[in-house]
Amino acid sequence: MTSTSVHPDVAETADAIATMEIRGAAAIADAAAGALAAQARESDADTPEALRAELREAARVLYETRPTAVSLPNALRFVMADVEGDDVEDLRQSVLASAESFQRDLDQAQGRLGEIGANRLRDGDTVMTHCHSTDALSCVKAALDQGKHIEAIVKETRPRKQGHITAEQLREWDVPVTLVVDSAARRYLNDVDHVLVGADSIAADGSVINKIGTSGLAVNARDRGTPVMVAAQTLKLHPDTLTGHTVEIEMRDETEVITDEERAEIQGDPDGFDVVNPAFDVTPPRYVDAIVTERGQFPPESVVVLMRELFGSETKRPWEA
Ligand code: RI2
């Protein structure tokens, strides 16, 4: 079966994830679960084996879109973990129920995580954010719901300026926002009470893989004595790192950094330069004060215990035959 045989909803979702129309680790997981459900719902497979093959192919197409956020393979694992059915209809219903339950849990986990994270935020605190993380923002929202006054210094987050999404969301909640370019962050670290970021993946040693620029921010924050708080649902725990694998850092197109006109000028220059565009970086655990999940707050070095509890020693790869 080729990728063209997956349902158009799956192909569309995969394309939207790859182009970052759908972005953010939690949103990607939600969309992937929805796409598997669409494949099951719309399939005209006539045997359970045929439907399973279609689901595997759909999972593979989704899996191959972006490599860093583990929420994507974890979503595929969770949705396909216990699906069963002796006939096509039973299997279809099983997938639909599994996807629905996964999406519901995702939403609830973020709500619980927000309430836990909000306990770290005091009335009158200012947070500095990087990129746009719904897990991080759920902590701010819960603090606001508790009646606390919170302000924010929002890093623009080059190259895609996703900090603007954060700024807009915070303004909708009436949070006073100051937007700064990334290189101005250190100057304002003395004015903030917390650096608050999300995560795309968390490794077994407690390293945090998040939007490029997070590690520099965390090092500067440590230098200034500003605590770094990472808001990440357990879906962001990367089980493969339990067995020594490293997390692949996505390299994106240079067109996010320079325009076609700029590239054309460079190409005319025999001493022209290369452009690299890594989307993420790795913040070592020593620069992180707390990882806040829906299961509680953890020092980064102890997430390995949670990871073992949740994933065990063996991880399945349902996108493989
Ligand atoms: P939530 C984003 O990656 C950012 O790095 C953000 O911190 C992280 O996902 C988590 O987002 P990208 O998809 O799951 O924008 O907290 O490259 O929404």
Side-chain angles (χ1 to χ4, degrees), residues 20 22-28 66 110 130-136 162 197-200 210-211 231 233 236 250 279-280:
M20 291 179 67
I22 296 173
R23 54 143 298 276
I28 289 170
R66 294 187 74 192
Q110 191 167 78
H130 184 65
C131 199
H132 172 253
S133 157
T134 55
D135 281 354
Q162 291 152 305
V197 296
D200 293 83
N210 193 47
K211 183 61 48 168
Q233 299 179 48
K236 317 284 179 69
E250 176 182 6
F280 303 101

Side-chain angles (χ1 to χ4, degrees), residues 90-143:
D90 279 358
L91 183 57
R92 189 195 321 275
Q93 293 310 324
S94 176
V95 175
L96 294 178
S98 177
E100 198 186 310
S101 134
F102 173 79
Q103 289 174 311
R104 200 176 42 241
D105 287 353
L106 189 66
D107 200 41
Q108 287 174 355
Q110 191 167 78
R112 279 200 297 277
L113 172 159
E115 283 165 19
I116 294 166
N119 293 333
R120 290 184 68 87
L121 307 179
R122 292 155 307 178
D123 189 24
D125 275 357
T126 300
V127 297
M128 180 179 280
T129 64
H130 184 65
C131 199
H132 172 253
S133 157
T134 55
D135 281 354
L137 286 179
S138 73
C139 302
V140 176
K141 182 66 169 70

